Amino acid sequence: MPYRHLFKALQWGLILFCLCFAMVGGTMAERLLELLQCQPHANPALRSCAWLPNALGLRLAPFLSAGGISDYPFVLLQNFWALIAVWMVALIATHRAARNAASTAALPDRGKTRYPGITGADAGRWASRAAFWVLLLGLAGFCMAFGTPILGNRVALEVLGALGCSPGTFDPFSSPCMSAPGFWTHRLAVYVIPLAGPLLAPVWLFMAFWDILLAWTLLTAAAYILQDHLSKRARRPAP
């Protein structure tokens, strides 16, 4: 699909998505929840539904209790802001790609012979550069989300809520779901400890996610080395 057509598809898809949930969000959420066949806030230890349908159901459930069309836009922004942000980034990227493709097509014949089409080396170099920036920005966002005092506690509660787990107010471990096996619960348990949990988020970040941070940092460094190597090889004069 050409970049121009992809941009149009993403553009109209975002417009239709926002219009549908901003105007008839309750009906849309009800139909989607019927398709998912998963009750929000289900205990993941009971394996009543998969993680992804349950997380999506938690985002759709607030539309059922909203006060109508006056509340739907706010519920949409509160529950799908991350999806809309990623969608906007994809729109900007495809728009720039379509504009660059149009500029290349408008070059005279001499320019076309001088600048050939996209080769495998170009695609590899751009992919490695994109992977580096995605990994770097993702690592920075992850550290900010889980390493900032107060914010880390709120993010941990949101993740636990998406898993269908509600830790106790005074004793977080009184909830049986906090002892359920999995990736998140034992890592996020320290974030919901009263008083110390919200304030010591930078400490919990390295204690709970040191292996994730190490692997993420190594992948980011590997992507940087790869894109730097490919860029140097592209600038090297041909024999």
Side-chain angles (χ1 to χ4, degrees):
M1 180 183 295
Y3 288 120
R4 183 168 57 88
H5 294 166
L6 181 60
F7 171 75
K8 290 294 183 182
L10 289 172
Q11 181 185 32
W12 284 108
L14 179 59
I15 292 173
L16 291 175
F17 176 81
C18 293
L19 283 178
C20 289
F21 277 97
M23 298 181 67
V24 288
T27 304
M28 292 287 296
E30 185 177 0
R31 296 294 180 267
L32 290 174
L33 286 172
E34 290 177 358
L35 292 175
L36 291 174
Q37 296 181 350
C38 179
Q39 295 294 328
H41 301 286
N43 189 349
L46 302 177
R47 298 295 186 264
S48 58
C49 57
W51 180 85
L52 183 59
N54 190 57
L56 183 58
L58 288 170
R59 301 300 175 194
L60 295 173
F63 285 95
L64 303 179
S65 58
I69 193 172
S70 59
D71 291 342
Y72 289 154
F74 300 101
V75 178
L76 171 66
L77 292 176
Q78 182 179 2
N79 290 277
F80 289 104
W81 62 268
L83 176 61
I84 294 174
V86 172
W87 212 323
M88 292 295 294
V89 171
L91 272 174
I92 295 172
T94 52
H95 177 69
R96 293 189 61 181
R99 187 174 59 182
N100 292 338
S103 301
T104 303
L107 289 174
D109 293 339
R110 184 177 62 181
K112 290 181 181 179
T113 57
R114 185 177 178 182
Y115 300 101
I118 298 176
T119 63
D122 295 331
R125 187 170 68 254
W126 294 341
S128 62
R129 185 177 303 171
F132 165 71
W133 282 109
V134 168
L135 288 170
L136 181 62
L137 293 176
L139 178 60
F142 184 86
C143 292
M144 289 181 61
F146 287 99
T148 305
I150 309 299
L151 178 61
N153 172 260
R154 300 307 307 171
V155 173
L157 290 175
E158 287 290 332
V159 174
L160 291 173
L163 294 173
C165 182
S166 299
T169 305
F170 299 102
D171 183 9
F173 307 101
S174 62
S175 177
C177 65
M178 292 298 292
S179 59
F183 174 82
W184 288 105
T185 50
H186 70 283
R187 296 176 187 267
L188 298 179
V190 290
Y191 282 90
V192 295
I193 296 174
L195 296 179
L199 299 179
L200 299 180
V203 178
W204 309 141
L205 172 67
F206 290 100
M207 287 183 59
F209 296 104
W210 66 269
D211 52 343
I212 305 299
L213 295 177
L214 179 61
W216 207 327
T217 304
L218 291 176
L219 284 175
T220 306
Y224 175 78
I225 293 172
L226 178 60
Q227 69 96 14
D228 184 64
H229 170 71
L230 293 177
S231 299
K232 290 180 179 178
R233 193 169 68 175
R235 291 194 297 266
R236 193 177 303 161

